Amino acid sequence: HLTIPCEMCIRDSSSSSSDNETAIATELYTFLGRYRAHYKEIATLMFAADAIEGKRLLSLGKDRYLTEYDLEKSNYDELVVRERTRIEQYAVPLAMISHPATSKENFLLTVNDQWKYKMYNGQTKRCRKTLLGPTFGSYLKKLVMIPSPSIESHDAAVDADAADAENLEQQKSSSSLQNKNHYMAYITEDKLGLQKFPLTGNPFDSIAIFAHPDGVANLAVSFDGKHLFTAGGENSNLFMWKTSLE
C-alpha cells in the first residue's frame, strides 16, 4: 500500500520511508532493511545529526514510542533498533523535529494532541521542558525548521569532522549565541504557521494563516529558508510562500 512518510538525508544521499507502521532505511538508494517498530501510525520519520552520535534515524509513532535505529550496525535486509522509548503516557505525539542549537544540550522537539510542545534530551530521551503550543483550531501535523546561518554552519561542521565532538560542541554553542533568531514553520489541517524561538509558551510568538481550505497535505522549505511550499489535499494545489523573518 501507499508508503508515507518519506525522509531524505541530503548529506550522503541516504533516504528512508515508512508504510505507516514499518520503518525502512536505504543507503545510497539501496534497500537496507525494515523493522516494525510501531503498532500504530508513524507520525514522523527523520534523520538527525549531532557531534556525539553522528548521523541518526528516528521514528515517532502515535503509539507514543520514539525509536532510534542503529545505522552503523545495520546490514542488508537487517535494520537494527538501537533504542525504543515511550515518551508519552496519555497524550498522542503528532510531529517531531530537531530543536535548533541554542545550548550545549541537544534536544528533540515534539508536539502532541494536548496543544503542548515538549523538549526531550537527544541522548537520554527524557523530557526537559513542556510549553504551550499554537492553538489555531486544529492540531499541528508537521514541523519544519527554517534554515539559518548558524544551523547550516553547524551541519557543515558535523559532516566535515564528526570525530571532533568537543570542538563541535563549542562551535555550536558560540554560533547559537551569535544568531538567536530561529524560526519554525508548521501546518495544521488547513493553516500554515510560523513559530519564533526560543519557545516560551507565549501565544504571540506564533502566527498562522489559511493556506488550503480543503486541507494541507504537506509542507517543505527551500534550502535557503526564503520560501515555503505547501501541497493541498483534495484540490491538489501547490503553493509557494515567500518568508520575511527580519
Side-chain angles (χ1 to χ4, degrees), residues 124-141:
T124 65
K125 310 298 190 302
R126 294 189 178 275
C127 183
R128 302 282 282 131
K129 186 180 290 187
T130 302
L131 302 130
L132 178 66
T135 55
F136 290 108
S138 58
Y139 299 133
L140 275 62
K141 54 194 292 187

Side-chain angles (χ1 to χ4, degrees), residues 187 192 218-222 227-231 238-241:
I187 53 174
L192 169 66
N218 209 343
L219 168 68
V221 61
S222 62
H227 295 90
L228 298 172
F229 301 88
T230 58
L238 176 64
F239 291 164
M240 181 172 70
W241 308 80

Side-chain angles (χ1 to χ4, degrees), residues 51-213:
I52 298 176
E53 299 187 14
K55 186 177 67 176
R56 308 164 68 191
L57 175 62
L58 304 104
S59 63
L60 177 66
K62 292 186 177 181
D63 55 0
R64 303 177 179 88
Y65 279 92
L66 173 62
T67 304
E68 181 172 357
Y69 306 89
D70 195 330
L71 299 180
E72 296 296 328
K73 295 182 179 179
S74 297
N75 296 312
Y76 178 74
D77 206 19
E78 183 183 3
L79 181 60
V80 178
V81 172
R82 175 183 293 176
E83 184 180 11
R84 190 167 181 263
T85 308
R86 179 159 182 155
I87 62 171
E88 294 277 11
Q89 295 301 317
Y90 301 104
V92 177
L94 303 174
M96 174 179 65
I97 59 167
S98 294
H99 190 281
T102 55
S103 68
K104 292 184 178 180
E105 188 174 5
N106 293 318
F107 293 107
L108 297 172
L109 175 66
T110 69
V111 64
N112 61 34
D113 66 348
Q114 295 184 356
W115 315 99
K116 297 294 193 301
Y117 285 131
K118 285 196 172 184
M119 294 170 56
Y120 295 88
N121 181 282
Q123 278 69 48
T124 65
K125 310 298 190 302
R126 294 189 178 275
C127 183
R128 302 282 282 131
K129 186 180 290 187
T130 302
L131 302 130
L132 178 66
T135 55
F136 290 108
S138 58
Y139 299 133
L140 275 62
K141 54 194 292 187
K142 185 170 184 178
L143 312 174
V144 174
M145 283 303 305
I146 298 179
S148 66
S150 61
I151 295 177
E152 291 174 359
S153 62
H154 170 56
D155 287 347
V158 170
D159 291 337
D161 188 7
D164 195 358
E166 183 176 357
N167 209 15
L168 290 174
E169 285 293 330
Q170 294 175 357
Q171 291 177 9
K172 186 176 72 172
S173 178
S174 61
S175 64
S176 63
L177 292 175
Q178 294 174 3
N179 187 355
K180 296 182 180 180
N181 297 323
H182 299 278
Y183 293 88
M184 176 183 72
Y186 62 84
I187 53 174
T188 67
E189 288 298 327
D190 55 5
K191 298 180 182 68
L192 169 66
L194 199 65
Q195 174 73 56
K196 183 179 180 181
F197 282 80
L199 298 177
T200 62
N202 187 342
F204 294 103
D205 287 340
S206 178
I207 61 171
I209 60 174
F210 277 103
H212 298 263

Side-chain angles (χ1 to χ4, degrees), residues 7-9 11-17 24-33 47 55 57 70-77 79:
E7 182 72 14
M8 179 73 68
C9 182
R11 296 181 181 87
D12 60 359
S13 301
S14 300
S15 66
S16 64
S17 61
I24 305 173
T26 61
E27 193 74 20
L28 296 176
Y29 304 110
T30 301
F31 178 78
L32 180 61
F47 284 101
K55 186 177 67 176
L57 175 62
D70 195 330
L71 299 180
E72 296 296 328
K73 295 182 179 179
S74 297
N75 296 312
Y76 178 74
D77 206 19
L79 181 60

